[in-house]
Amino acid sequence: MPDLDPATTALLTVECQNGVVGEESALPELAKEARDSGMLERVAALAGAARAAGVQVLHAVAERRPDGRGANTNARLFRAAGKLPVRQISGTAAVRLAAPLVVAEQDLVVRRLHGLSPMAGTDLDALLRNLGIRTLVVTGVSSNIAIPNTVFDAVNLGYRVVVPADAIAGVPASCTAEVIRNSLALVATITTAEALLNQWAPAP
């Protein structure tokens, strides 16, 4: 993996929120995988190391209005989301970051009301460009949908993308390995959380 210049690199967490991967998730199977695999702890560790190294941290959160206005209805996934017992309603606990992740003072939070990717129809691309970011480290959930969409959108917009394979999760667990091997590895640099932590560790 090439060296990542902190001045031009950002770490993005995707949908690491209570209503998705927290204790009272709308998607308990995904939440269990995110926690049992250690993915959430690794993402939190990466965020802390990134901040210490001067790497910008951003959090992408998926939300819905209580009335659902403006949300997609053109796929089964979206229609099902509106009927789940836990909904990602703006301003509720469901859209706050799940422990052990935190939003630090210097972090940026990007919220979206529609779509499959935080890169589409949000401020994320503009924020990254204003910050001079050229490389995006993508973490979070899920490897089934949101992570591939984020990676592909970022690559299409000209960013170099890095994916720590053990800092993303999906269901079943085997899906993550297959998506990485057959899709993400073709367009992104695949690495591990440990490799990034070592790179961002303070110089001795």
Side-chain angles (χ1 to χ4, degrees):
M1 183 180 67
D3 287 341
L4 303 180
D5 180 0
T8 59
T9 301
L11 173 74
L12 177 69
T13 76
V14 178
E15 296 183 27
C16 291
Q17 58 201 75
N18 286 319
V20 177
V21 294
E23 296 290 347
E24 298 183 4
S25 168
L27 304 165
E29 188 178 358
L30 177 59
K32 185 176 187 303
E33 175 61 25
R35 292 185 173 279
D36 290 354
S37 68
M39 184 277 288
L40 273 178
E41 287 73 17
R42 284 188 284 273
V43 173
L46 284 171
R51 295 182 193 105
V55 172
Q56 178 67 54
V57 176
L58 302 97
H59 308 283
V61 176
E63 299 187 352
R64 289 176 66 91
R65 286 170 48 112
D67 60 9
R69 188 175 296 275
N72 291 69
T73 58
N74 58 332
R76 187 175 68 176
L77 172 69
F78 300 127
R79 294 191 292 273
K83 300 175 183 177
L84 291 172
V86 177
R87 300 172 64 202
Q88 316 302 319
I89 302 298
S90 301
T92 68
V95 299
R96 298 188 194 116
L97 290 192
L101 277 81
V102 297
V103 179
E105 183 178 0
Q106 66 268 39
D107 295 357
L108 294 171
V109 179
V110 177
R111 306 181 184 278
R112 78 177 196 275
L113 291 172
H114 64 87
L116 299 171
S117 164
M119 295 294 298
T122 72
D123 293 333
L124 181 55
D125 180 42
L127 293 173
L128 294 172
R129 292 185 187 281
N130 288 346
L131 291 163
I133 301 301
R134 301 303 309 142
T135 300
L136 189 63
V137 179
V138 177
T139 67
V141 295
S142 72
S143 59
N144 307 75
I145 296 175
I147 295 298
N149 272 270
T150 303
V151 171
F152 296 148
D153 284 349
V155 170
N156 282 331
L157 289 168
Y159 295 96
R160 179 175 66 162
V161 178
V162 175
V163 178
D166 53 353
I168 64 172
V171 289
S174 59
C175 173
T176 300
E178 291 299 322
V179 168
I180 290 171
R181 181 183 304 111
N182 296 308
S183 297
L184 301 186
L186 303 178
V187 297
T189 298
I190 306 301
T191 186
T192 64
E194 183 179 11
L196 287 171
L197 291 171
N198 289 338
Q199 185 164 148
W200 289 338

